[in-house]
Amino acid sequence: MASYFDDHNITETEQAPNEGNLLSALDFFTSLRTQQHTDGSNPLEYIISQLLDESNSNERGPPPASKAFIRKLPNLQPGEMKKGELCSICNEPYLTPTGAQQPCTRLPCTHGFHKECIQPWLELHNTCPMCRHEVHSDDPHWQRLNPDSYVPYDEDSEADLNWMMYG
């Protein structure tokens, strides 16, 4: 059985990782831990406190997309996706090698995705992962900040779906 290197026409090297580089990295982090700034603060403690401050801040990322928006994502018909076109999330083709299409959808910004890829994203964010185009959210804070953008969905209305797809 051939080795990995033989299979890929790579010359195997006998060199081990440079121990000097590993030791200098260790020395750097040790000095960072024990080093004091002129004001008496420790740089490592400063970095850790900044990370904690950011994680404890009240700043919010984008809210989840509305449940009605996710539920009403359109199913694209076979032929609407081009052969060789890839889902931007999983980087897999929309069409299988046999030509069968996996369930796909498009957001109002026209970016297409596998439904199984975009649904988890939209359950966390109300934005397109490619262009950050905002879609509807049930979040009251988002609705207050975007009163002109929010149009409540009527569960039984087909007009909502047309508005969603064509702006």
Side-chain angles (χ1 to χ4, degrees):
M1 178 177 201
S3 74
Y4 172 84
F5 297 102
D6 292 337
D7 288 344
H8 297 285
N9 296 324
I10 300 173
T11 306
E12 189 173 353
T13 61
E14 297 293 325
Q15 296 177 345
N18 186 341
E19 290 179 18
N21 288 342
L22 294 174
L23 290 175
S24 28
L26 179 62
D27 288 340
F28 170 74
F29 286 109
T30 302
S31 70
L32 184 64
R33 189 181 62 178
T34 58
Q35 180 182 20
Q36 297 289 320
H37 277 155
T38 55
D39 65 357
S41 66
N42 182 318
L44 190 56
E45 288 176 7
Y46 174 75
I47 292 170
I48 291 171
S49 67
Q50 277 222 278
L51 291 171
L52 283 172
D53 289 345
E54 287 177 18
S55 69
N56 293 331
S57 73
N58 289 332
E59 290 186 33
R60 300 166 40 142
S66 73
K67 290 179 180 17
F69 180 88
I70 295 170
R71 196 172 36 256
K72 290 186 175 189
L73 283 172
N75 289 316
L76 297 182
Q77 300 301 315
E80 290 187 62
M81 305 306 280
K82 298 176 187 158
K83 190 170 181 92
E85 197 174 358
L86 303 176
C87 172
S88 301
I89 295 175
C90 69
N91 209 30
E92 294 291 323
Y94 295 117
L95 300 174
T96 64
T98 61
Q101 180 173 309
Q102 299 175 20
C104 300
T105 191
R106 282 198 193 279
L107 295 181
C109 58
T110 71
H111 287 116
F113 305 95
H114 289 120
K115 268 194 145 179
E116 67 183 18
C117 295
I118 194 64
Q119 282 178 330
W121 173 269
L122 291 173
E123 289 170 1
L124 298 173
H125 313 278
N126 75 327
T127 58
C128 169
M130 297 299 297
C131 67
R132 301 294 185 224
H133 174 82
E134 283 191 335
V135 298
H136 295 288
S137 176
D138 293 330
D139 183 66
H141 180 71
W142 180 86
Q143 292 173 7
R144 276 193 308 276
L145 292 175
N146 302 286
D148 297 334
S149 300
Y150 181 71
V151 176
Y153 283 110
D154 175 3
E155 293 296 319
D156 301 319
S157 173
E158 198 60 34
D160 291 331
L161 181 61
N162 291 335
W163 180 88
M164 177 179 72
M165 286 304 297
Y166 304 110

